[in-house]
Amino acid sequence: MRFLIVSFDGLRPDLVAPDLTPNLCRLQAQGITLSNHRTVYPSETRSAFPSLVTGSTTSRHGMVGNIYVDRSVTPSRYIDTEDAVLLRKLDLESGGRLMSTQTLGEILASAGRSLAVLATNSPGTTRFFHHKAEDFGHVRLSGHFREVCTPDDLLAEAEELVGPLPPKPLSTKPDKAGQDWITSAFLDVIWPKCRPDVTVLSYGEPDVSSHFHGTGAEATRTIIAHCDRQFGRVLDWWEAEGRAEGVQIIAISDHGHITGHTQVSVVERLRDAGCRPGTAPAPDVDVVVVPGQVGALYLADPSDERIARIVATITGEPWCGPVFTRAKNDIEGIALGSLGSHLVFIDHVRAPDVSFCFRANDSVDPFGLVGGTFYENNRRAGLGVHGGLHPRELVALGVVAGSAFPGQGSVSVVPSGICDFAPTILHLLEIKQPESMTGRVLTEVVEPGQKAAPESRSEAFDVGLGRFRQVLRRVRVGASTYIESGTAE
């Protein structure tokens, strides 16, 4: 039995439809759709994909955001996880502890199995799928970035058969060439030559196009359709050959998108409040405001009193959504009005002192898509953003198909999440699941009808400060917990 995980970065499940994604719909007709499927918090790519390959939440693997401040060294340093070369350096410096728990690639290697990666995501994201691939002689190919590819001879063979690596595209141009290259590389080189036990084929779109054109814009819909056509080539291969050889297909996305409606500046607000904010550590900076759609504040003086002052400042702003600080008790954070960071599973040593989301609502954008939010970047309003706790940011695509997943054309309504795929794959390969994994085996799709569907239990947590009030909603299935939403008003 082998597995092919096909990812569509940032694809909202409500955009999967016969007119736009006929091949994903074809897979749904042959498999099981996970209709209550979610990602982790923060709903950022380089937190979500580490959760995919570790089967664990952010609090376990330690990738607390696309960007974080590393305070394990003096002076503190700014870490942008888009940089694959930096990630390799950090892993070597730490004795192999870039991620705080084992990954699927490591686990498979220890069992004599292999993981191959082909991706058109950023260099850092591509490395995260299997950050130790070169240590085990496994395959990791980027559709654009030579520095993250390994091994060299296989890259050379792929370029000879498929063509040279396409250049990195402009952010404003949907990336078609990269998706074509990795699809051909898998079909023409990696599968025939290597037959990996598990393969990740990751299309970096429609995420980039959503950020620069809008989630429902024509350019974004065009690249969604293009990625679906490339997936159609894979599905044709699976129907003709792969399925008979025991390949199981898992189609996913890492997060959704909502639409930014009002631009704000957290740095300016903190400066007005008497702070000395900056976007990276520096001697004259007393609070680092990590750039991005997820609020992440690292304080030079992370005392309870100082954290409480920062929280009191931001919760008075119309743009402030749910706020989290280190735990005071089972529910509250140490700052009045905040929830404990453990409730959203970001309580890691790398986590910011104050985490927050921009306030979101259920407004409808010009393309008819639900979900709007304040945002912080230099782009115009009306474009796609993600990272927070709106349900449309947390929702993700999940479809499984193959002999391991009986129930052709069915829908599972049991809550599930991105952390569940690694435990399920290991279970089916009869490889022991590490205790570090917080995900669960998806027994409802692996063994439908043999057991009663697992029961789910909803829970809600709310706190307030003055006129500010926030509510976090989660659902539990067995020992696993999924975040449904976070709201504030």
Side-chain angles (χ1 to χ4, degrees):
M1 185 178 293
R2 292 179 169 85
F3 293 85
L4 173 60
I5 304 172
V6 183
S7 173
F8 300 81
D9 196 330
L11 178 62
R12 283 176 53 144
D14 57 357
L15 291 176
V16 175
D19 62 332
L20 188 60
T21 58
N23 294 299
L24 274 172
C25 291
R26 178 157 57 116
L27 181 70
Q28 288 178 319
Q30 299 183 67
I32 305 171
T33 299
L34 308 176
S35 65
N36 204 357
H37 188 69
R38 297 179 182 86
T39 191
V40 294
Y41 178 77
S43 50
E44 291 190 316
T45 295
R46 295 191 295 278
S47 290
F49 283 138
S51 287
L52 169 71
V53 297
T54 62
S56 64
T57 53
T58 309
S59 58
R60 296 287 181 91
H61 60 67
M63 290 300 110
V64 297
N66 286 350
I67 298 169
Y68 65 90
V69 174
D70 178 10
R71 295 192 285 201
S72 68
V73 296
T74 304
S76 299
R77 56 186 174 181
Y78 175 97
I79 304 296
D80 186 345
T81 62
E82 185 175 5
D83 186 340
V85 175
L86 173 62
L87 294 182
R88 179 62 171 172
K89 178 174 180 287
L90 293 173
D91 192 49
L92 294 174
E93 284 180 355
S94 64
R97 296 293 292 173
L98 171 66
M99 285 199 268
S100 302
T101 186
Q102 278 188 301
T103 65
L104 186 60
E106 295 172 275
I107 297 164
L108 290 170
S110 67
R113 305 293 186 97
S114 60
L115 171 64
V117 175
L118 302 95
T120 58
N121 308 84
S122 71
T125 300
T126 302
R127 177 171 283 281
F128 271 141
F129 284 118
H130 192 1
H131 71 297
K132 296 180 185 291
E134 49 268 84
D135 298 333
F136 302 114
H138 290 178
V139 175
R140 187 182 60 234
L141 295 181
S142 165
H144 298 296
F145 305 104
R146 194 171 299 276
E147 70 270 20
V148 78
C149 295
T150 187
D152 291 341
D153 59 343
L154 199 62
L155 172 62
E157 184 174 344
E159 289 194 288
E160 182 176 351
L161 289 174
V162 179
L165 283 183
K168 178 184 177 182
L170 296 173
S171 298
T172 54
K173 298 289 185 182
D175 177 18
K176 294 182 178 180
Q179 323 311 325
D180 299 353
W181 195 92
I182 62 168
T183 304
S184 295
F186 170 73
L187 293 174
D188 299 342
V189 181
I190 301 307
W191 174 255
K193 184 178 180 68
C194 305
R195 275 174 165 68
D197 293 289
V198 181
T199 302
V200 174
L201 180 66
S202 179
Y203 298 120
E205 293 279 19
D207 183 72
V208 175
S209 292
S210 177
H211 284 308
F212 285 89
H213 297 278
T215 305
E218 183 59 31
T220 307
R221 292 176 63 85
T222 296
I223 196 63
I224 290 172
H226 185 84
C227 290
D228 184 76
R229 284 192 293 273
Q230 293 307 303
F231 175 63
R233 296 172 57 199
V234 175
L235 198 53
D236 290 344
W237 159 83
W238 183 69
E239 291 171 341
E241 176 185 348
R243 180 163 48 188
E245 297 204 26
V247 176
Q248 319 297 315
I249 291 186
I250 300 174
I252 70 167
S253 61
D254 53 335
H255 56 75
H257 274 257
I258 57 177
T259 299
H261 59 63
T262 305
Q263 187 182 51
V264 300
S265 173
V266 179
V267 166
E268 288 181 8
R269 178 63 190 94
L270 292 178
R271 185 178 293 120
D272 291 343
C275 299
R276 300 191 310 277
T279 55
D284 60 343
V285 170
D286 65 2
V287 54
V288 176
V289 182
V290 172
Q293 186 58 20
V294 179
L297 308 179
Y298 291 84
L299 280 62
D301 170 21
S303 63
D304 291 7
E305 179 183 2
R306 183 67 174 151
I307 290 172
R309 286 178 56 195
I310 291 287
V311 169
T313 296
I314 64 173
T315 53
E317 294 298 311
W319 44 257
C320 184
V323 182
F324 307 93
T325 60
R326 61 178 177 264
K328 174 183 177 182
N329 52 45
D330 289 344
I331 296 175
E332 298 171 295
I334 58 169
L336 285 176
S338 68
L339 288 166
S341 58
H342 64 290
L343 294 177
V344 285
F345 309 109
I346 54 169
D347 48 329
H348 188 274
V349 66
R350 296 175 183 148
D353 300 304
V354 179
S355 299
F356 68 92
C357 308
F358 290 98
R359 190 171 302 181
N361 58 30
D362 289 335
S363 58
V364 178
D365 75 6
F367 306 107
L369 298 176
V370 174
T373 183
F374 291 88
Y375 69 97
E376 184 171 32
N377 60 48
N378 58 5
R379 301 180 202 128
R380 63 174 175 84
L383 303 180
V385 295
H386 59 88
L389 289 166
H390 188 278
R392 300 292 182 169
E393 294 174 276
L394 293 172
V395 72
L397 176 69
V399 184
V400 296
S403 59
F405 307 108
Q408 182 174 341
S410 63
V411 175
S412 171
V413 298
V414 180
S416 61
I418 198 169
C419 298
D420 297 335
F421 293 123
T424 301
I425 289 170
L426 294 178
H427 169 77
L428 291 168
L429 291 177
E430 299 183 341
I431 298 173
K432 184 179 179 180
Q433 172 183 335
E435 293 183 2
S436 59
M437 290 188 172
T438 60
R440 64 182 180 87
V441 177
L442 296 170
T443 55
E444 65 273 17
V445 297
V446 174
E447 304 168 357
Q450 296 186 29
K451 298 179 181 179
E455 295 184 1
S456 59
R457 177 167 58 89
S458 297
E459 55 190 15
F461 308 92
D462 65 278
V463 295
L465 175 62
R467 298 179 63 186
F468 174 83
R469 184 149 223 89
Q470 62 172 319
V471 180
L472 176 71
R473 300 188 185 279
R474 311 190 312 186
V475 61
R476 291 192 175 191
V477 178
S480 295
T481 303
Y482 310 97
I483 303 171
E484 291 187 303
S485 68
T487 58
E489 59 183 26

